[in-house]
Amino acid sequence: MTGPISLPRARGCLFDPPDAYHALTESAALHPLRFPLADDGWIVTQHAAAKVVLGDSRFSHRNELIASPLPPPFPLPPGTPISPPPAEPGAFNKMDPPEHTRYRRLVGGWFSARAAERLIPAIEDTARELLAAMVEHGAPADLVRLYARPLPARVIFDFLEVPEDIREPLHNSLDVLMRLRMSLEELIEAVTVATELLDELARGKMTEHGGGMLGELAQRGLDVLEVRNVAWALLGGGTDTTANMIGLGVISLLEHPDQLESLRNKPELLDNAIEELLRYLTISQFGASRTATEDLEVFGHPVRAGQTVVVALPAVNRDPRVFPEPDRLDLARSTRGHLAFGYGVHKCIGQYLARATLRVAYPALFERFPELRLAVPLHQLAMRDDMDHYGVHEIPVRW
Ligand code: HEM
């Protein structure tokens, strides 16, 4: 076994995960990984091992502050405490069962496949409006600013009945928190703004009648802090993710014209195409991390209590044992078992909402602009390797 490596980051092709993952996936289930602020841990790139780690309750989710495989966003002041504070009430995305289970049960019903299906006509209206505004703007236009970013945000803001006047400042502060590098001042500013606006939102839901899902949670006994943190988890998880799947997905289709053509000729391919784009692009570029709560063994490798394992989802979704010719975008392939939404108890609560949004977003765009094309060469696009979720910062297009 070789010594610990740093998290691979360099991508050879903008649609592929870092090249270094290939060799890792071929050679072993787990590899020692260096963490900037914590003891050495492990990285998993094989599909089977990923499911073992994400499915084992002896691994905790309570780790992300310290045991990040990435350097901190700014140099930490000396004396910064290096153990994570307990998750705040309602922040279920940072909890372990049984606390996590209680909130997931409360919120889960709102995010079923059927609930998402019912939202499709409203998502279609929003998409149409944004595309009309794009026509009004004229070419060249930034697809991210005018379509990919606002569409999923409006879907989730509408769904949570977030008042219009706080949407833009809230969205902007959530975006800042997705950056991997920022100053301490920027972090404090973004956290302060998001906290104030989400507190205002939650307080409104305590008194309002018919305040949608959040109002109902309040009626079922959740307090302001809990409602605020549930909203934070959903808005934090539900804006940037789908936005980047729209942006990067559109570019992948434009760069694979045969695949785009096959989708145009066979609209019934759409659902599978979306799963394949989710697999192929896996925008959760740094994967999911879990920390062992006791000494255990994974595929013969000893993981000590307190060690963190990074499950590199982009690599896992390119494991050739599960996806033959994994680096090929093939909208018709079997995508069964892809882990783009994670696995286990924390598997994405918004997966059906994301799928519903994508099911509208791609066809609406390509139908409105059959001649859609990039307005700059591919290599000039600024990729989001500096953000939590992979994608593209700006996509100038013509039509
Ligand atoms: C294509 C879009 C999306 C992708 C690729 C994605 C990906 C993921 C992944 C990989 C996880 C698991 C993280 C882990 O195990 O550590 C996750 C969890 C989560 N996602 Fe998504 N997501 C997407 C859309 C959404 C949407 C639309 C929402 C809002 C409703 C959302 C809200 C959440 C929340 C709250 C969690 C935490 C769940 C829990 O801890 O129980 N996501 N997502």
Side-chain angles (χ1 to χ4, degrees):
M1 190 190 298
T2 53
I5 55 163
S6 296
L7 187 75
R9 304 264 309 256
R11 294 178 186 248
C13 162
L14 60 83
F15 298 124
D16 291 340
D19 301 339
Y21 283 141
H22 275 300
L24 298 184
T25 307
E26 265 169 35
S27 56
L30 270 74
H31 296 267
L33 183 70
R34 207 172 296 128
F35 289 78
L37 298 179
D39 292 343
D40 290 348
W42 300 89
I43 185 163
V44 166
T45 61
Q46 290 182 2
H47 190 273
K51 284 174 71 173
V52 166
V53 172
L54 295 176
D56 188 330
S57 60
R58 294 172 299 171
F59 280 104
S60 163
H61 202 344
R62 297 275 317 110
N63 63 345
E64 62 186 314
L65 288 183
I66 304 313
S68 165
L70 300 164
F74 43 79
L76 290 181
T80 305
I82 57 159
S83 61
E88 286 197 3
F92 64 95
N93 54 324
K94 297 176 186 161
M95 290 172 179
D96 290 325
E99 234 187 338
H100 169 263
T101 323
R102 188 170 76 82
Y103 288 106
R104 259 309 275 236
R105 286 208 181 117
L106 267 176
V107 178
W110 297 85
F111 289 94
S112 65
R114 203 175 301 161
E117 186 81 26
R118 280 197 295 268
L119 292 178
I120 287 194
I123 303 175
E124 284 171 343
D125 288 346
T126 306
R128 253 193 306 273
E129 249 178 67
L130 292 169
L131 291 170
M134 222 167 118
V135 173
E136 183 93 342
H137 176 285
D142 176 11
L143 186 74
V144 173
R145 192 171 68 78
L146 296 177
Y147 190 64
R149 181 178 183 270
L151 178 58
R154 272 179 53 182
V155 169
I156 184 90
F157 282 142
D158 287 349
F159 183 68
L160 296 183
E161 301 190 19
V162 177
E164 282 292 340
D165 59 323
I166 67 167
R167 291 183 177 194
E168 198 51 35
L170 182 54
H171 196 179
N172 289 339
S173 57
L174 293 173
D175 275 356
V176 171
L177 296 175
M178 298 293 164
R179 291 188 202 154
L180 300 182
R181 293 213 76 73
M182 63 187 118
S183 67
L184 180 59
E185 293 71 29
E186 284 170 320
L187 174 69
I188 292 172
E189 163 81 10
V191 170
T192 307
V193 171
T195 309
E196 282 173 8
L197 295 173
L198 287 164
D199 274 342
E200 185 184 325
L201 172 70
R203 275 195 304 271
K205 300 295 177 193
M206 306 312 283
T207 52
E208 261 172 42
H209 289 291
M213 184 200 115
L214 298 174
E216 191 153 314
L217 290 181
Q219 276 165 28
R220 287 194 208 167
L222 262 58
D223 65 20
V224 178
L225 190 59
E226 288 176 298
V227 172
R228 181 247 271 173
N229 286 329
V230 167
W232 197 322
L234 295 172
L235 291 168
T239 45
D240 204 39
T241 42
T242 315
N244 283 296
M245 270 308 299
I246 298 175
L248 197 56
V250 167
I251 298 178
S252 325
L253 291 170
L254 291 175
E255 290 300 309
H256 294 84
D258 58 322
Q259 295 295 307
L260 179 56
E261 197 52 30
S262 70
L263 186 55
R264 281 193 164 121
N265 294 336
K266 276 199 197 164
E268 66 276 14
L269 252 189
L270 182 62
D271 286 344
N272 202 71
I274 288 169
E275 299 308 311
E276 170 65 348
L277 288 168
L278 285 161
R279 177 198 75 84
Y280 181 70
L281 300 171
T282 315
I283 52 147
S284 301
Q285 59 178 332
F286 304 114
S289 299
R290 300 291 187 267
T291 302
T293 55
E294 55 184 83
D295 291 347
L296 41 89
E297 208 171 270
V298 179
F299 281 59
H301 299 272
V303 179
R304 289 192 320 276
Q307 278 192 312
T308 293
V309 181
V310 171
V311 178
L313 296 175
V316 167
N317 278 341
R318 301 286 184 107
D319 184 342
R321 294 168 192 82
V322 182
F323 308 105
E325 288 190 73
D327 296 334
R328 199 158 62 83
L329 177 72
D330 174 3
L331 301 184
R333 77 157 72 227
S334 163
T335 57
R336 231 178 111 87
H338 79 69
L339 301 190
F341 289 120
Y343 182 78
V345 295
H346 289 282
K347 185 165 181 184
C348 182
I349 198 168
Q351 58 177 302
Y352 297 110
L353 185 59
R355 288 183 172 112
T357 308
L358 296 175
R359 205 165 352 127
V360 172
Y362 299 129
L365 178 72
F366 285 112
E367 275 160 32
R368 187 72 189 76
F369 301 124
E371 302 289 317
L372 189 81
R373 60 202 179 276
L374 286 178
V376 296
L378 187 66
H379 70 265
Q380 277 181 20
L381 295 176
M383 304 311 292
R384 292 171 44 112
D385 24 34
D386 54 346
M387 308 292 281
D388 247 0
H389 300 118
Y390 190 57
V392 192
H393 283 289
E394 227 179 274
I395 309 178
V397 289
R398 294 184 185 281
W399 52 85

